Amino acid sequence: MKQFKLTSAVLVLSFATPIFAVQANDTAATNDELRTELQQIQQRLAMLEAQEKEASVLSDTQFNFYGSLRPTFGLTHTNSDDVWDVGDANSRIGFAAEHQLGNGLVGFAKGEFKVDIKDDGDFGDARKAYVGLKGFFGSVAIGKQAVTQEIISDPVDIFNRSGTPLAYDSASPFRLNNLVTYRKEFGDLLFSADAQFDGNKGSGGSDFVNAGIRYKTDLIYIAAAFYNKELEDNKDENTFGVTLAKSFNDLYLAAAYQNIEKDDIDGTTLDGSTLDVVASYPITDSYKIKLGVSRYDDGGNDVTSAKYNAYNTTLEWHKTPQFSTFIEYQKTDFEYRETNDQFMLGMRYNFDYTF
């Protein structure tokens, strides 16, 4: 009997041993699988954290890609010649970006480049290229930018050509490189100041200083600005400008005037000026008419002078905000040069995408 029990126990143990071995092996295998799954979960969590951080950075950044293509075709008539030509009215492509830095601070950047449809359609020279920081203190930027004086030209810059405003374009700056700018808004009031620092020029300090103030509401636009520009041979150019613009329901009227004092090569001072007066009125929902009268006086009184009176009439067709066409006539009546008449047909395609 005892031998039978012993034999039975041995038989049970003999069967149980491989079962326990299998269970032990299964436990080891299960541990390996769990360890592998845990590693996979940890890797996945790390990827999700990285994606969350990237999404957070992207959510704090706004990127804008925009452009405007503006080919023209027209006839330029003078007393001595007629010229047909394809032109370009400042076509451009650009990008702008803003990034939230926290504590009310925002970093921003812009790059805008010419598209020269008139020649080879080259994508080239920079119109704007700068980086800046803005916050409670206002904004500061460094690079090639629009100058403060543009608060004088903006209200009268309504025509479809590269040389507008008509008189202002002959005398004043639009965008300058090596520029440091400061802007600060106080409600409807804007204070703006610029300085150009070009170490390649003769001056060790600033080469151009521009400051102005603008008041802008839905009812009226008023601005005044002054700039000093260093010329060669220690000569200066000083310009003071004012502008006023107002809408009377659909009728828009604006005028800009500048007084320009410039040292001449013979040591005298040339007293010049620019005057631009413009108006626009929508004839229908799709058609708009624009008119302009300009006077440019460089202070000269002989055949070297480029004094002129200019007149502009434009009819625009706006099918959509993205696409428009126009017909434009401009007469430039020079005091000491040939009268210039231009007839122009143009198209404009705009695009603007925000990401």
Side-chain angles (χ1 to χ4, degrees), residues 69-72 86-91 115-118 161-162:
L69 301 180
R70 308 175 177 185
T72 63
V86 169
D88 180 82
N90 290 330
S91 297
V115 179
D116 193 358
I117 295 178
K118 181 178 180 179
R161 55 178 58 237
S162 57

Side-chain angles (χ1 to χ4, degrees), residues 152 155-156 221 242-246 252-257 275-278:
I152 304 301
V156 292
Y221 180 113
V242 292
T243 189
L244 173 65
K246 184 172 176 56
Y252 173 78
L253 298 174
Y257 172 80
L275 174 65
D276 291 281
V277 180
V278 302

Side-chain angles (χ1 to χ4, degrees), residues 109-215:
K110 176 172 280 192
E112 185 176 291
F113 306 90
K114 296 179 181 179
V115 179
D116 193 358
I117 295 178
K118 181 178 180 179
D119 293 322
D120 294 328
D122 295 333
F123 177 74
D125 296 340
R127 290 167 51 89
K128 298 177 183 178
Y130 60 85
V131 176
L133 178 69
K134 62 183 178 181
F136 67 92
F137 55 86
S139 66
V140 177
I142 302 173
K144 186 169 186 178
Q145 306 170 68
V147 297
T148 291
Q149 201 70 10
E150 281 202 2
I151 65 176
I152 304 301
S153 66
D154 280 347
V156 292
D157 189 6
I158 67 172
F159 299 114
N160 300 279
R161 55 178 58 237
S162 57
T164 67
L166 309 182
Y168 177 96
D169 182 68
S170 298
S172 299
F174 284 92
R175 291 163 295 276
L176 291 179
N177 55 17
N178 303 307
L179 202 66
V180 179
T181 65
Y182 174 74
R183 310 280 188 264
K184 175 63 176 177
E185 292 190 25
F186 304 90
D188 297 326
L189 201 64
L190 168 70
F191 172 74
S192 180
D194 314 325
Q196 184 186 43
F197 300 90
D198 189 347
N200 293 322
K201 293 185 177 180
S203 173
S206 63
D207 307 291
F208 172 89
V209 176
N210 192 189
I213 191 167
R214 183 198 71 193
Y215 178 74

Side-chain angles (χ1 to χ4, degrees), residues 224-254:
F226 170 83
Y227 76 79
N228 169 266
K229 181 180 180 181
E230 282 198 0
L231 307 176
E232 295 181 358
D233 301 325
N234 295 321
K235 300 185 184 303
D236 287 331
E237 178 180 318
N238 296 290
T239 299
F240 174 76
V242 292
T243 189
L244 173 65
K246 184 172 176 56
S247 294
F248 300 88
N249 295 323
D250 291 334
L251 176 63
Y252 173 78
L253 298 174

